[in-house]
Amino acid sequence: MNHLNAFNAQISLKSKYEGNAHLIWAMGLYLNNANFSELASECLTDGPDDRKIDFIKLDLDNERLILAQGYFAEKSKADKAPANKAADLNTAAAWLLVGDLDKLPSKSKPNASLREIIKESRKAIKNGEVKQIELLYVHNLPQSVHVTSELKTVASYLRDSLPKMTDIIVISKELGLQNIEELYNIQKSAILIESTEECPALIEFEQIGTTWSAAVLSVPGSWLRDMFIKHDEKLFSANYRGFLGISKRRPINNIIKNTAEKQSDNFWVFNNGITILTFDYKKNNKTTTIKGMSIINGAQTTGSIGSVDSTIDLSGVKVLCRLIKCQDPSTVDDIILYNNTQNKIMTWDKFSKDPKQKSLVEEFKKFGHSYSLKRGFDPNSELGIEQVIQSLLALRGYYAEANGGKNKAFMSDAVFDLAFKDAQARHILFAFCISRAIDELRSALKEKKDHNIIIEQEEKQLILLRNLKFKYFLISVFGKCIDTLLGKKKDVKIISFSPDAAQKSNKSIDDLVAEALPAVKFVLAFTVATVNGKDFTEFLEEAEPLVKISSNVNASLYAVLNTMYHPGIENFKKIIN
């Protein structure tokens, strides 16, 4: 399979994370995030007292919480994954919602960080910041009905255990060979459904372009529902958002569903319709043949109609539909982009196609590095616009904006400018490597914890590092301490690696991260000492927390660095411009 070939090519990933490498790879595909070191350090919990939670991610940017259980068969001849691993998610779900936190390891014991992330997750659920919980069983074997049934039982249990007034959507998925292959193929092709479907509607109008052709027709709601039931989420493979579900929090989708059920005659004029990207279409006497399909606009319309009970006749519901056929890859990308008209998508396009960003691509090339303007999963690029924006904001002191999430950063011209104004490639590389160094340090501390050799001060560091808001705050503290670390005045908005150090032929990104680690360790140690066991979320609510922390850290750094020689810091100085 294509995805397994791609996974097996990830030599460093497999070497570094061993049994968890496949889980990280699959979750990178699922979350559309190829920053594997960040995913591993933030989300992996596999170890002693993990309460059957191998991977947990509180994704406030997309208002969801993800729990995953992983299984990897090295040389197994089994034809399906063990269902008991799926059942383990029952334990995970129970601990997430009602497990006694006092029975989880305390701050002085291994896996205390799990206690903190569960605490943060419960708080997010209570505050209405989570709209969907996803339960995943990730493995490298064929999928099975038995596992699917087990996962549905787990999802039902969790749904029943949630507070009665909540309308959080709970979904479960088996990410085995077939589904992971589909996730991988989505990166290569916009259209995942390749079958030929017969639509009981006539083409009323056709428009021909240079690289495309399009047809307009009115499709029956019953056919659209059939397609949704048959293909489910695959139907939206080229859609940025997919179907968001029916709930009180999705009032528009409820309205669409009610209109289809009760005002079928008016549906055509009330609704904007759908757009289907296809490999080909053919006009027949009474039908239209569609070869391959992905709904690139109208996922909410399709899903809402698909949610109407099958006993209700929808043949009288008519939906305006555009069919688009195009073989030119660049035009297909633009068709998908401009048919997804949400503000954040269009804002993303504005920034990713900005001349400044395109010039950065060329600037990085001169140093031998690849810089991607693609959103989401891109394992072929070391770093990209989406991966660096939060680190840039944080290094420049804007930790609150960095913690606001990527979507908010790209939706605001002002915030985007705070990150990228005057930023050159070597400065961006510097910010990215400081962020990576924190990820590596967190992974190293987790490994110590897993082997029960972590000391008390390191445990305190790990607990802070597992707080969702701490990483970017720490980068801001690092930025405030640059002058003291280097022993000279520096502008944090332009500080960068030297031209020689930035050359990939001289130093890889891993080399640069290793060079930055001693400085990051110092700043982290003194930051933890200053926080001194306080609840970090509450600490952030105090007046000027960054000023308080950085002032104390700078004083400690100055005292230490001016009384003894530290080779790691001296080497770090040598690679700074």
Side-chain angles (χ1 to χ4, degrees):
M1 285 190 159
N2 293 329
H3 83 272
L4 285 179
N5 292 334
F7 167 65
N8 288 328
Q10 297 286 324
I11 305 299
S12 61
L13 179 72
K14 295 174 69 176
S15 173
K16 187 172 185 179
Y17 299 108
E18 298 179 342
N20 283 318
H22 180 264
L23 175 60
I24 298 167
W25 166 258
M27 292 310 298
L29 281 168
Y30 185 78
L31 295 168
N32 213 9
N33 182 356
N35 192 343
F36 300 126
S37 62
E38 182 180 69
L39 284 176
S41 65
E42 285 186 2
C43 306
L44 278 181
T45 63
D46 194 19
D49 295 318
D50 65 9
R51 296 308 194 266
K52 305 301 181 181
I53 302 174
D54 290 346
F55 183 102
I56 179 170
K57 182 172 180 61
L58 180 55
D59 181 9
L60 296 180
D61 217 22
N62 294 295
E63 301 174 305
R64 61 179 177 170
L65 174 63
I66 298 161
L67 295 177
Q69 181 71 208
Y71 176 79
F72 187 77
E74 290 285 355
K75 296 180 180 180
S76 175
K77 296 181 180 180
D79 59 354
K80 61 184 178 181
N84 66 300
K85 294 286 286 183
D88 283 346
L89 284 167
N90 257 325
T91 304
W95 272 102
L96 171 69
L97 293 183
V98 297
D100 186 352
L101 292 182
D102 291 335
K103 291 184 179 180
L104 282 173
S106 64
K107 291 187 177 182
S108 62
K109 296 179 181 178
N111 224 0
S113 53
L114 181 59
R115 176 189 187 123
E116 301 305 309
I117 190 63
I118 289 180
K119 184 178 177 181
E120 287 290 316
S121 299
R122 289 182 183 179
K123 182 179 178 181
I125 291 171
K126 182 179 178 180
N127 292 341
E129 297 174 291
V130 173
K131 295 182 179 178
Q132 184 160 296
I133 298 176
E134 300 170 22
L135 303 169
L136 309 176
Y137 180 23
V138 182
H139 58 79
N140 63 327
L141 293 170
Q143 289 156 205
S144 70
V145 174
H146 192 39
V147 168
T148 299
S149 176
E150 194 69 56
L151 286 172
K152 286 184 177 180
T153 300
V154 175
S156 177
Y157 164 79
L158 177 56
R159 200 175 293 113
D160 292 341
S161 301
L162 287 166
K164 291 184 178 180
M165 296 304 293
T166 188
D167 53 0
I168 294 174
I169 297 170
V170 179
I171 63 174
S172 60
K173 293 182 181 180
E174 181 182 12
L175 296 185
L177 287 179
Q178 300 94 316
N179 283 340
I180 298 177
E181 182 74 5
E182 287 178 2
L183 287 172
Y184 183 77
N185 289 338
I186 286 174
Q187 310 300 323
K188 305 296 180 183
S189 172
I191 302 174
L192 200 55
I193 298 170
E194 299 181 350
S195 60
T196 298
E197 304 289 351
E198 203 71 21
C199 178
L202 289 172
I203 292 176
E204 304 290 346
F205 174 80
E206 193 169 13
Q207 185 73 41
I208 307 297
T210 306
T211 60
W212 53 267
S213 62
V216 176
L217 55 163
S218 293
V219 302
S222 53
W223 177 79
L224 204 56
R225 178 174 58 190
D226 290 344
M227 292 298 99
F228 181 75
I229 292 172
K230 180 178 180 180
H231 299 295
D232 199 17
E233 292 180 0
K234 297 179 189 177
L235 205 55
F236 313 122
S237 60
N239 193 295
Y240 282 100
R241 302 189 73 179
F243 178 50
L244 299 177
I246 299 290
S247 73
K248 292 177 182 178
R249 293 186 183 182
R250 313 291 184 194
I252 298 300
N253 291 358
N254 267 322
I255 292 172
I256 295 172
K257 180 173 179 286
N258 289 333
T259 303
E261 291 173 340
K262 300 173 183 178
Q263 298 190 59
S264 58
D265 290 345
N266 293 325
F267 193 94
W268 199 95
V269 293
F270 286 175
N271 187 270
N272 288 329
I274 65 172
T275 300
I276 299 176
L277 185 66
T278 179
F279 295 130
D280 198 9
Y281 61 81
K282 179 184 177 182
K283 183 177 182 179
N284 304 317
N285 291 331
K286 296 182 179 180
T287 62
T288 300
T289 301
I290 302 173
K291 183 179 180 182
M293 61 190 300
S294 178
I295 295 177
I296 57 175
N297 186 265
Q300 308 319 309
T301 293
T302 305
S304 299
I305 288 176
S307 301
V308 175
D309 192 277
S310 59
T311 60
I312 298 177
D313 182 14
L314 294 181
S315 59
V317 174
K318 301 298 180 184
V319 183
L320 176 65
C321 175
R322 285 191 309 161
L323 292 175
I324 299 177
K325 175 177 69 173
C326 180
Q327 301 299 326
D328 179 61
S330 62
T331 305
V332 168
D333 288 343
D334 284 341
I335 289 171
I336 294 170
L337 176 70
Y338 291 109
N339 275 273
N340 282 271
T341 56
Q342 293 87 354
N343 288 336
K344 66 179 180 182
I345 301 299
M346 300 309 293
T347 305
W348 167 269
D349 178 53
K350 177 174 66 176
F351 291 135
S352 66
K353 292 191 174 183
D354 181 73
K356 166 66 176 176
Q357 290 297 319
K358 290 184 177 181
S359 71
L360 284 173
V361 173
E362 297 305 314
E363 193 178 342
F364 271 106
K365 281 183 181 179
K366 293 177 181 178
F367 292 103
H369 297 287
S370 57
Y371 178 72
S372 175
L373 299 183
K374 176 184 176 183
R375 186 165 202 183
F377 190 87
D378 189 359
N380 298 317
S381 289
E382 299 164 292
L383 70 166
I385 181 174
E386 188 180 37
Q387 292 173 294
V388 303
I389 188 168
Q390 289 169 287
S391 300
L392 283 171
L393 284 167
L395 183 64
R396 296 176 172 203
Y398 306 112
Y399 66 89
E401 286 79 3
N403 280 327
K406 296 174 186 176
N407 287 343
K408 289 183 180 179
F410 284 109
M411 288 177 71
S412 168
D413 289 21
V415 175
F416 186 88
D417 197 46
L418 289 176
F420 283 100
K421 186 177 181 181
D422 301 324
Q424 301 300 313
R426 288 183 290 118
H427 172 68
I428 294 172
L429 185 62
F430 179 86
F432 178 72
C433 287
I434 299 304
S435 177
R436 272 282 310 275
I438 294 173
D439 292 335
E440 295 297 329
L441 183 53
R442 179 167 42 198
S443 291
L445 290 173
K446 286 176 65 179
E447 187 172 353
K448 280 190 169 185
K449 174 202 68 179
D450 291 344
H451 291 87
N452 205 18
I453 57 174
I454 194 168
I455 63 176
E456 184 177 352
Q457 290 304 311
E458 292 172 333
E459 182 68 33
K460 290 179 179 179
Q461 292 178 8
L462 184 56
I463 288 170
L464 275 179
L465 285 168
R466 285 305 299 266
N467 186 290
L468 294 173
K469 297 181 179 180
F470 182 70
K471 176 181 177 180
Y472 295 115
F473 181 84
L474 181 61
I475 295 176
S476 287
V477 174
F478 190 93
K480 291 288 185 183
C481 297
I482 284 292
D483 293 355
T484 307
L485 282 165
L486 301 179
K488 60 180 68 176
K489 190 74 174 176
K490 289 288 184 181
D491 185 350
V492 74
K493 293 185 178 180
I494 60 174
I495 188 170
S496 58
F497 290 123
S498 67
D500 285 344
Q503 279 288 347
K504 187 176 180 180
S505 57
N506 296 329
K507 290 185 182 294
S508 67
I509 287 181
D510 285 344
D511 292 333
L512 294 173
V513 170
E515 299 268 23
L517 266 173
V520 171
K521 285 182 178 180
F522 263 115
V523 174
L524 173 61
F526 290 129
T527 299
V528 172
T530 305
V531 174
N532 195 27
K534 293 182 182 178
D535 185 290
F536 184 70
T537 302
E538 294 176 2
F539 179 81
L540 279 183
E541 296 173 356
E542 296 180 8
E544 299 186 322
L546 181 58
V547 174
K548 289 181 182 179
I549 290 286
S550 59
S551 176
N552 288 331
V553 174
N554 268 315
S556 299
L557 280 172
Y558 186 83
V560 170
L561 296 179
N562 282 277
T563 55
M564 59 183 70
Y565 179 79
H566 292 277
I569 300 297
E570 294 304 314
N571 289 334
F572 180 63
K573 290 179 181 180
K574 293 175 183 178
I575 63 173
I576 305 302
N577 188 42

